[in-house]
């Protein structure tokens, strides 16, 4: 199975320091849905792993998050793509859970769900915590320069072997060329 793990905010859609709190605030980044469509059409199982501490902070509820993800699925389907599953951590930074990135718990859950060895599985994020969680789980971390990506790159301290791409479309192009 060809598996790829994507962060959501800053990779697929515009990020917001004030959180994406409604379907109206969820806006796909240019080219991201087409990139996911190319990957899914090439046989990749596309999975999202996303910290959603806005739930713990009371900024939105699960029904609203489901509506946001319904919009994502709907727009992606129109582009010809599919996300197989969305894994999320609903906890806040102080909750001490193992599923909140930079810890790899969500990635271990994905490995269990798909009975997959994550060694070398591309995992795409825009923040250091995405890359740290991916590396801790044995994935191949990819940093995109959308969302917080430029700040993350410039700050340094990236896990060894992190690959950098302009955006999700560039990641898809590279993976599909390498296949």
């Amino acid at each position: 199975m060809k598996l790829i793990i994507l962060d959501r905010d800053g990779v697929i859609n515009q990020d917001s320091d004030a959180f994406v709190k409604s379907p109206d605030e969820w806006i796909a980044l240019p080219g991201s849905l087409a990139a996911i469509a190319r990957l899914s059409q090439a046989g990749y199982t596309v999975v999202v792993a996303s910290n959603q501490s806005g739930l713990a902070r009371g900024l939105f509820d699960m029904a609203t998050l489901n509506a946001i993800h319904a919009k994502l699925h709907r727009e992606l389907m129109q582009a010809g793509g599919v996300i197989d599953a969305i894994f999320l951590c609903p906890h806040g930074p102080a909750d001490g859970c193992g599923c909140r990135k930079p810890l790899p718990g969500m990635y271990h859950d994905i490995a269990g769900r798909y009975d997959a060895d994550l060694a070398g599985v591309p995992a795409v994020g825009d923040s250091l915590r995405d890359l740290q969680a991916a590396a801790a789980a044995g994935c191949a971390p990819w940093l995109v320069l959308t969302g917080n990506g430029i700040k993350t790159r410039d700050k340094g301290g990236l896990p060894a072997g992190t690959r950098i791409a302009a955006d999700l479309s560039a990641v898809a192009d590279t993976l599909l060329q390498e296949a």
Side-chain angles (χ1 to χ4, degrees):
M1 172 177 44
K2 293 188 290 187
L3 178 65
I4 186 168
I5 302 170
L6 308 177
D7 178 48
R8 192 190 80 178
D9 300 336
V11 174
I12 300 172
N13 57 278
Q14 293 177 9
D15 199 359
S16 169
D17 290 336
F19 296 86
V20 176
K21 302 178 295 302
S22 73
D24 288 343
E25 293 177 12
W26 188 91
I27 301 166
L29 288 169
S32 68
L33 300 180
I36 294 169
R38 289 198 317 277
L39 289 165
S40 54
Q41 290 167 12
Y44 276 88
T45 298
V46 182
V47 176
V48 171
S50 182
N51 285 350
Q52 290 296 322
S53 67
L55 286 166
R57 298 169 199 260
L59 299 175
F60 50 85
D61 59 19
M62 200 62 208
T64 301
L65 186 59
N66 286 338
I68 292 168
H69 290 156
K71 180 179 180 183
L72 161 60
H73 286 295
R74 191 170 50 254
E75 289 188 13
L76 182 55
M77 199 166 39
Q78 290 169 350
V82 175
I83 288 175
D84 195 66
I86 298 176
F87 288 73
L88 61 93
C89 171
H91 304 107
D95 291 341
C97 73
C99 63
R100 184 174 169 77
K101 295 183 276 182
L103 297 176
M106 241 187 301
Y107 293 81
H108 295 313
D109 290 345
I110 292 167
R113 167 88 163 284
Y114 293 97
D115 193 26
D117 178 359
L118 295 183
V121 167
V124 184
D126 68 317
S127 297
L128 183 59
R129 66 178 169 257
D130 301 324
L131 307 175
Q132 291 169 328
C139 295
W142 282 79
L143 174 67
V144 288
L145 300 180
T146 49
N148 294 307
I150 292 173
K151 285 190 293 191
T152 301
R153 179 198 63 197
D154 293 349
K155 194 170 184 181
L158 304 180
T162 298
R163 297 175 74 176
I164 299 174
D167 55 21
L168 187 53
S169 189
V171 172
D173 289 345
T174 301
L175 292 175
L176 295 172
Q177 285 171 352
E178 290 176 354

